[in-house]
């Protein structure tokens, strides 16, 4: 029963007043986050709405010309060759039957999937905005296209089951959304749970009457995984940004050598992301006492020396994941593919007898426009699935360095001085157990999901990508990394207190100083007597601070745009 238990539902904080225009080709991670997390509204661009209209017309025209269309006048999966109806979809003989079948399928969609329910409103909203954007390449009816926008804009968030997708088409989760559109199932209206029909009524909406291939148009997509992946990219940006900022604090706290970051070293290893991150750290540290020539050991433990290299590699993996998510969100992952305007003259294979079977010549339904409607494998969500796992691996390798950095501060072999000698009234009993525990949790998420296919639908559908599992692992890895960084931040800040006490004239550089000062407003130094009366540990408060604070508050993120950002032939002689 525990696995199916309803978790506490986290509603969004709808603070955005923006309206995002969906074009189908330029939706950004930031826009997905604005809609999913902060309640920004959405609208279709005129061109995107026209594309949907044209595609819908071509779909209807296909039936009048006898063109076989998967998941419309032909069945799905094992029934792919089964004729569902013949002739014009809008004929008196066909239209009532198609409408009744579509309504039944939408209603049954409310029962699809398997618990536990998705416990975060932003996840469902992210799936909906991703689907609304990419659905502009498909052939939804006008009422379906509009209802998806209305659910987002009126903040009707369907109750969605978290499991029941093999990651090659999130049919169950999008089926749950379909159910709400016809008043079946349950939804949250403005964060309050109620029957779907009641939520629609409160928002001033009527259930839709789906038609044509609407079930296919909505559910044949990986939007559930893609939306979550967009949230992962945003959270990972924050985690990696914090890792860089805290690294500068660690260097200050350890009284470290900055030679590994220097141009001398970067010239020996010219690499875009390696040089970019080293330069980024140096700029954060500019003005720090570390450049003043204080006596210190020639080199630090490897966890400090190599942190920039690990971070740079994680940033590179992050950029690849970001690009994969943007590709997935701004292209069609739908089956079948609908393309208005293409003709046999466009490519040799389109003129072959096989492809001509799927050519719609054009007529009244399509307003004379021609095109193709063909079956495909666009729902296969690679390279997104690969990049999710690659990023978690890179993040886990960075987190090893973070965990060891925390531990190195417990040894006077590295710090040279005992903290109690400098701050005798401030106890510092480091939480030595939790960081390794968190790191082991992250290590357990690194192993890839075994790429084993299971033959389903009479062996027609025999590959599974399991993006649901991969994206959930990535979300957990990012969240746990932020927890781990909370411990690193607390340790670094304490040792900056020590270094400042040793010499009040010391500067730490702009980013480290700003983050240190901001943390101390939330987590001030406490004497033993003060700590006894605390209701929450400093480690918990520091982690909460990391989760709640964007690291760009302390240093903006300026990503490399191509070429080599710091090392050129002019620099390296």
């Amino acid at each position: 029963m525990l696995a199916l238990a309803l978790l506490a539902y986290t509603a969004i904080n709808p603070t955005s007043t923006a309206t995002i225009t969906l074009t189908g080709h330029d939706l950004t991670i930031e826009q997905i986050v604005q809609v999913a997390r902060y309640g920004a509204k959405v609208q279709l661009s005129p061109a995107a709405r026209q594309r949907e209209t044209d595609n819908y017309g071509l779909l209807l025209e296909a039936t009048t010309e006898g063109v076989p269309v998967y998941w419309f006048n032909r069945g799905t999966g094992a029934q792919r060759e089964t004729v569902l109806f013949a002739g014009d979809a809008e004929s008196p003989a066909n239209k009532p039957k198609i409408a009744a079948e579509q309504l039944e399928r939408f209603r049954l969609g409310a029962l699809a999937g398997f618990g536990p329910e998705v416990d975060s409103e932003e996840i469902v909203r992210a799936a909906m905005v991703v689907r609304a954007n990419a659905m502009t390449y498909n052939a939804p009816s006008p009422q379906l296209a509009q209802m998806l926008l209305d659910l987002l804009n009126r903040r009707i968030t369907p109750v969605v089951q978290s499991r029941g997708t093999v990651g090659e088409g999130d049919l169950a989760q999008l089926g749950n959304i379909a159910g709400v559109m016809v008043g079946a199932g349950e939804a949250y209206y403005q964060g309050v749970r109620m029957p779907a029909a009641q939520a629609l009524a409160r928002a001033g909406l009527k259930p839709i009457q789906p038609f044509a291939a609407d079930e296919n148009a909505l559910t044949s997509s990986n939007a559930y995984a893609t939306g979550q992946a967009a949230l992962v990219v945003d959270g990972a940006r924050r985690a990696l940004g914090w890792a860089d900022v805290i690294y500068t604090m660690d260097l200050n706290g350890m009284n470290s050598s900055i030679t590994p970051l220097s141009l001398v070293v970067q010239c020996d290893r010219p690499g875009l992301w390696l040089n970019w991150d080293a330069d980024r750290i140096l700029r954060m540290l500019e003005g720090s006492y570390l450049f003043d020539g204080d006596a210190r050991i020639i080199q630090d433990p490897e966890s400090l020396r190599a942190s920039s290299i690990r971070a740079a590699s994680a940033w590179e993996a992050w950029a690849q994941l970001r690009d994969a998510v943007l590709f997935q969100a701004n292209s069609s992952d739908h089956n079948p593919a609908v393309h208005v305007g293409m003709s046999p003259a466009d490519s040799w294979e389109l003129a072959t007898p096989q492809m001509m079977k799927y050519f719609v010549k054009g007529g009244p339904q399509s307003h004379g426009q021609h095109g193709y409607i063909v079956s495909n494998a666009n729902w296969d969500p690679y390279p997104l699935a690969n990049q999710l796992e690659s990023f978690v691996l890179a993040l886990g390798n960075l987190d090893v360095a973070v965990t060891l950095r925390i531990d190195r501060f417990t040894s006077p072999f590295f710090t040279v001085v005992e903290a109690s000698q400098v701050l005798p009234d401030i106890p510092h009993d480091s939480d030595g157990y939790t960081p390794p525990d968190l790191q082991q949790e992250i290590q357990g998420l690194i192993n890839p999901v075994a790429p084993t296919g299971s033959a389903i639908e009479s062996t027609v559908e025999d590959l599974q990508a399991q993006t649901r599992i991969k994206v959930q692992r990535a979300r957990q890895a990012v969240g746990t990394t932020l927890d781990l960084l909370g411990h690193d931040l607390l340790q670094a800040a304490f040792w900056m207190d020590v270094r400042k006490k040793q010499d009040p004239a010391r500067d730490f550089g702009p980013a480290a100083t700003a983050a240190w000062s901001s943390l101390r407003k939330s987590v001030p130094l406490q004497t033993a007597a003060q700590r006894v009366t605390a209701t929450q540990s400093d480690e918990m408060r520091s982690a909460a601070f990391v989760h709640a604070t964007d690291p760009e508050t302390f240093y903006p993120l300026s990503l490399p745009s191509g070429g080599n950002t710091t090392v050129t032939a002019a620099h390296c002689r």
Side-chain angles (χ1 to χ4, degrees):
M1 291 299 294
L2 182 61
L4 297 177
L6 175 62
L7 304 176
Y9 184 74
T10 302
I12 66 169
N13 180 24
T15 56
S16 176
T17 59
T19 297
I20 307 299
T21 299
L22 305 177
T23 67
H25 56 77
D26 58 3
L27 183 63
T28 67
I29 299 295
E30 294 76 18
Q31 289 173 331
I32 294 172
V33 171
Q34 281 295 309
V35 174
R37 186 172 294 157
Y38 302 113
K41 296 197 166 38
V42 293
Q43 63 183 8
L44 294 183
S45 70
R49 191 176 291 277
Q50 187 63 52
R51 187 165 62 243
E52 285 185 335
T53 299
D54 291 344
N55 287 349
Y56 185 63
L58 193 74
L59 179 75
L60 296 177
E61 179 64 27
T63 64
T64 69
E65 298 181 16
V67 174
V69 180
Y70 180 75
W71 209 337
F72 186 23
N73 58 10
R74 296 297 186 271
T76 63
Q79 305 301 313
R80 64 198 185 282
E81 297 294 338
T82 302
V83 177
L84 300 181
F85 67 90
D88 184 358
E90 293 198 304
S91 70
N94 288 327
K95 187 172 184 177
K97 177 184 175 183
I98 294 171
E101 288 179 347
Q102 285 293 312
L103 181 59
E104 179 183 9
R105 291 174 185 174
F106 268 62
R107 287 189 176 279
L108 289 174
L111 305 177
F114 196 76
E117 296 171 3
V118 174
D119 61 353
S120 179
E121 183 177 7
E122 68 176 30
I123 291 176
V124 180
R125 287 180 59 84
M128 289 196 292
V129 68
V130 166
R131 189 70 200 110
N133 186 63
M135 198 166 69
T136 62
Y137 293 107
N138 309 143
S141 68
Q143 59 267 27
L144 170 61
Q146 186 58 46
M147 179 57 90
L148 191 52
L149 303 178
D150 288 340
L151 292 183
L152 284 165
N153 291 339
R154 308 292 178 90
R155 204 179 149 207
I156 299 174
T157 307
V159 171
V160 170
Q161 302 300 329
S162 65
R163 294 186 288 177
T165 170
V166 293
E168 300 222 356
D170 297 323
L171 307 182
Q173 287 67 37
L174 292 163
N176 296 155
I177 295 170
V180 170
M181 292 180 168
V182 297
E186 292 185 298
Y188 291 90
Y189 176 59
Q190 308 290 332
V192 179
R193 186 170 180 149
M194 61 188 68
Q198 184 179 346
L200 293 176
R202 287 199 180 184
L205 299 173
K206 294 181 179 180
I208 66 168
Q209 170 55 68
F211 187 63
D214 275 353
E215 180 200 21
N216 166 242
L218 178 63
T219 65
S220 179
S221 168
N222 297 287
Y224 174 56
T226 306
Q228 288 185 78
L231 298 175
V232 166
V233 170
D234 181 67
R237 171 191 62 82
R238 296 166 70 104
L240 296 181
W242 264 119
D244 281 346
V245 170
I246 297 170
Y247 178 42
T248 69
M249 299 172 68
D250 282 334
L251 292 172
N252 276 296
M254 189 66 79
N255 191 16
S256 291
S257 170
I258 45 78
T259 58
L261 304 166
S262 71
L263 184 62
V264 177
V265 174
Q266 299 307 309
C267 282
D268 270 2
R269 202 177 190 191
L272 176 62
W273 290 94
L274 295 176
N275 302 152
W276 169 79
D277 193 73
D279 181 66
R280 173 174 159 84
I281 300 302
L282 280 174
R283 292 182 185 277
M284 288 189 195
L285 287 169
E286 192 170 0
S288 168
Y289 80 102
L290 298 178
F291 297 93
D292 292 343
D294 284 12
R296 61 176 63 85
I297 56 176
I298 249 178
Q299 67 179 28
D300 296 303
E302 190 173 352
S303 54
L304 268 84
R305 276 183 287 147
S307 277
S308 177
I309 296 172
R310 299 272 175 125
S313 300
W315 275 115
E316 183 175 14
W318 172 87
Q320 292 168 345
L321 174 59
R322 175 204 58 193
D323 292 347
V325 172
L326 291 175
F327 170 76
Q328 188 76 22
N330 287 292
S331 60
S332 177
D333 57 357
H334 180 76
N335 181 25
V338 184
H339 237 292
V340 173
M342 297 193 79
S343 68
D346 290 329
S347 177
W348 68 267
E349 90 278 2
L350 296 183
T352 62
Q354 173 66 15
M355 291 303 297
M356 287 300 293
K357 292 193 298 185
Y358 308 107
F359 179 59
V360 182
K361 299 180 181 64
Q365 300 279 33
S366 64
H367 304 287
Q369 298 186 97
H370 59 264
Y372 284 85
I373 303 178
V374 300
S375 177
N376 61 75
N378 283 347
W379 68 87
D380 199 35
Y382 290 85
L384 173 61
N386 281 344
Q387 297 300 343
L388 281 166
E389 292 189 310
S390 295
F391 174 72
V392 174
L393 179 61
L395 185 65
N397 279 281
L398 169 61
D399 288 338
V400 172
V402 173
T403 303
L404 293 174
R405 284 185 338 217
I406 296 169
D407 181 73
R408 296 302 89 101
F409 279 104
T410 64
S411 171
F413 178 78
F414 297 111
T415 63
V416 180
V417 64
E418 293 277 5
S420 59
Q421 297 173 312
V422 182
L423 296 174
D425 298 329
I426 306 297
H428 186 61
D429 302 323
S430 178
D431 181 3
Y433 289 98
T434 302
D437 179 37
L438 297 177
Q439 173 57 21
Q440 288 168 19
E441 180 181 315
I442 294 165
Q443 291 294 312
L445 300 170
I446 285 177
N447 293 330
V449 178
T452 302
S454 298
I456 58 179
E457 284 295 315
S458 301
T459 73
V460 172
E461 299 171 5
D462 55 2
L463 286 177
Q464 293 84 47
Q466 292 299 3
T467 45
R468 172 186 72 84
I469 298 174
K470 295 172 184 179
V471 76
Q472 287 175 349
R473 284 187 174 191
R475 288 180 62 226
Q476 184 179 349
V478 169
T480 306
T481 295
L482 289 167
D483 291 338
L484 180 64
L485 288 167
H487 283 73
D488 192 12
L489 174 62
L490 191 66
Q491 187 79 287
F494 176 80
W495 279 95
M496 286 174 68
D497 292 318
V498 171
R499 301 307 179 190
K500 194 70 170 179
K501 183 69 172 179
Q502 286 180 314
D503 183 354
R506 279 175 171 163
D507 194 352
F508 300 124
T513 299
W516 173 51
S517 301
S518 185
L519 174 73
R520 283 294 172 235
K521 293 176 183 177
S522 298
V523 189
L525 283 175
Q526 293 182 318
T527 64
Q530 291 170 326
R531 288 181 63 185
V532 167
T533 62
T535 58
Q536 192 177 46
S537 71
D538 287 352
E539 288 79 8
M540 292 283 284
R541 289 194 291 165
S542 181
F545 176 80
V546 168
H547 278 272
T549 308
D550 194 317
E552 292 194 55
T553 303
F554 312 115
Y555 195 82
L557 178 63
S558 179
L559 293 167
S561 56
N564 203 309
T565 54
T566 59
V567 177
T568 67
H571 289 131
C572 302
R573 303 181 187 280

